[in-house]
């Protein structure tokens, strides 16, 4: 049995949960509080980060590496396109969402807003860095515009078929949506694309997420938001 | 003819130059001052970032995507291992060096030290952020220790053969080495690994780099440093 070690609001972990769901690969999900540095987890994964997938005796880590690993399994459902130029385009967008957008947006918005809640008194006093949050929200609007433009001309973001590019974008947006920070009115086409992907069966486990002490915003699980 | 648009001190660009060299794929290298937003470049690559590879009519961008693209070309020299578990290990290390280490080290050390030189008067007055530089140098020592441990037990970092993992690590270190910031004495095994990779023919174009107004430190091109 596969076991995915993850954190609820990590966009990279959400993407792997979506990918495993789309590919209909069974797995057990284990919430891992990485800051506790649990010895049993570090014994499996010395790097100590999530997402981390144990597949039989093989441990796989890395937000980019796990998708490549899953694509090389014997599984009929592919999330990379089968032709070279389309695959390169899907990888380019996947990298852009998973590395650049996650750095620019998630680190600014999620970490600045969430960490002070769980931090010590000194950190709480400092409060969130509003300039970082504003820069993150600017980058978020640019990401929504890119998604809108792509989904106006293609069925899914990288071409005809759903790919890891869609999953990376949706994973990041769903983490932000949990805390209520996605300005959906900013781009109607991006919202429509998100409604479609949010309605897929693979999304259901994410929509059931509820962090103790930090419930999702009201529309988080609503398919018609 | 392939054309690689790059910047001299970008670790990601250096990695692609090394990979093209190792694979003996001919290319023209074009220095691209991305901040000038040159219209001819943006017409090819709307994202405007480097590294960017034009290969015939195909444009490929992304520090992770370009290696995957090159590996799918018909080229006898492979920089991913041919067996699944070794390939996953090489991709994991490649991602760690190219995303995590580059974020933690290059952004802290390179950007803080280099950017003020080319910035306006107000930026220069601010001076470099010494706390960020110290955190980057701590991360650099951890990276050297990881390289030392890996190269003590393996021929190259991910296994028997040279891989993109080695190239990503060497590219980042060579960018730092250009400005003189690698504490080679910290880990003898890591230094020995770097001496080996620095001696390879694919490294020569990097060792010939010279930025106007910012010459490399004295030992930069020295194979016996």
């Amino acid at each position: 049995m596969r076991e995915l070690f993850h954190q609820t609001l990590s966009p990279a972990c959400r993407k792997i949960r979506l990918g495993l769901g789309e590919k209909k690969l069974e797995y057990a999900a284990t919430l891992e509080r990485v800051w506790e540095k649990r010895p049993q987890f570090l014994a499996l994964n010395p790097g100590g980060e999530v997402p981390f997938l144990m597949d039989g005796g093989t441990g796989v880590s890395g937000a980019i590496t796990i998708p490549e690993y899953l694509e090389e399994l014997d599984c009929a459902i592919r999330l990379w396109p089968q032709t070279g130029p389309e695959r390169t385009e899907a990888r380019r967008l996947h990298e852009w969402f998973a590395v650049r957008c996650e750095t620019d947006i998630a680190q600014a918005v999620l970490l600045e807003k969430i960490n002070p809640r769980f931090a010590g008194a000194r950190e709480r006093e400092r409060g969130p860095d509003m300039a970082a949050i504003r820069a993150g929200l600017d980058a978020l609007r640019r990401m929504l515009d890119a998604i809108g433009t792509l989904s106006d001309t293609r069925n899914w973001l990288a071409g005809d078929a759903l790919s890891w590019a869609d999953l990376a974008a949706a994973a990041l947006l769903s983490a932000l949506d949990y805390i209520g920070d996605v300005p959906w009115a900013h781009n109607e086409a991006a919202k429509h694309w998100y409604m479609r992907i949010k309605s897929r069966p693979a999304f259901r486990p994410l929509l059931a997420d509820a962090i103790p002490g930090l419930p999702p915003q009201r529309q988080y699980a609503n398919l018609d938001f």
Side-chain angles (χ1 to χ4, degrees), chain A:
Chain A
M1 178 59 143
R2 284 178 202 92
E3 183 172 9
L4 178 71
F5 298 84
H6 74 113
Q7 283 191 285
T8 307
L9 286 184
S10 152
C13 294
R14 289 180 163 249
K15 178 183 69 185
I16 304 304
R17 291 164 73 196
L18 290 172
L20 288 163
E22 288 291 345
K23 292 171 89 70
K24 303 192 198 303
L25 296 170
E26 301 231 343
Y27 70 103
T30 300
L31 268 179
E32 185 64 39
R33 296 179 186 85
V34 289
W35 56 90
E36 292 180 356
K37 297 184 185 298
R38 199 164 57 87
Q40 299 96 314
F41 180 60
L42 293 179
L44 295 173
N45 178 25
E49 299 193 348
V50 291
F52 176 71
L53 181 70
M54 273 307 294
D55 191 355
T58 305
V60 192
S61 65
I64 307 276
T65 300
I66 297 174
E68 297 288 352
Y69 171 81
L70 293 175
E71 287 305 300
E72 293 186 353
L73 294 179
D74 183 18
C75 171
I77 300 166
R78 303 275 174 188
L79 296 171
W80 288 141
Q82 291 305 292
T83 61
E86 289 199 345
R87 191 163 52 248
T88 295
E89 172 69 353
R91 281 198 174 112
R92 174 184 80 82
L93 288 169
H94 175 249
E95 180 178 344
W96 190 65
F97 292 127
V99 179
R100 170 52 58 104
C101 292
E102 178 157 343
T103 305
D104 290 352
I105 302 171
Q107 292 192 2
V109 179
L110 280 176
L111 294 182
E112 281 296 331
K113 288 190 82 156
I114 300 298
N115 281 359
R117 291 181 66 110
F118 298 102
R122 204 177 125 202
E123 282 291 308
R124 265 199 302 276
E125 202 168 285
R126 177 179 74 88
D129 177 343
M130 291 313 294
I133 291 179
R134 266 193 302 273
L137 293 176
D138 282 346
L140 172 56
R141 279 186 288 268
R142 287 195 299 275
M143 176 180 164
L144 289 174
D145 286 337
I147 290 171
T149 302
L150 290 166
S151 61
D152 267 345
T153 54
R154 297 170 177 176
N155 188 31
W156 292 101
L157 297 184
D160 287 342
L162 184 85
S163 77
W164 286 104
D166 297 276
L167 302 188
L172 173 51
L173 291 173
S174 76
L176 297 167
D177 200 40
Y178 186 98
I179 57 171
D181 266 327
V182 182
W184 292 115
H186 175 75
N187 191 303
E188 200 61 35
K191 179 181 174 178
H192 185 75
W193 163 86
Y194 188 70
M195 287 176 81
R196 282 171 66 212
I197 198 165
K198 188 177 178 180
S199 305
R200 294 175 71 85
F203 231 92
R204 280 180 208 146
L206 277 67
L207 300 182
D209 281 341
I211 300 169
L214 186 72
Q217 60 96 358
R218 202 167 47 89
Q219 300 285 351
Y220 171 68
N222 191 342
L223 295 182
D224 185 18
F225 49 102

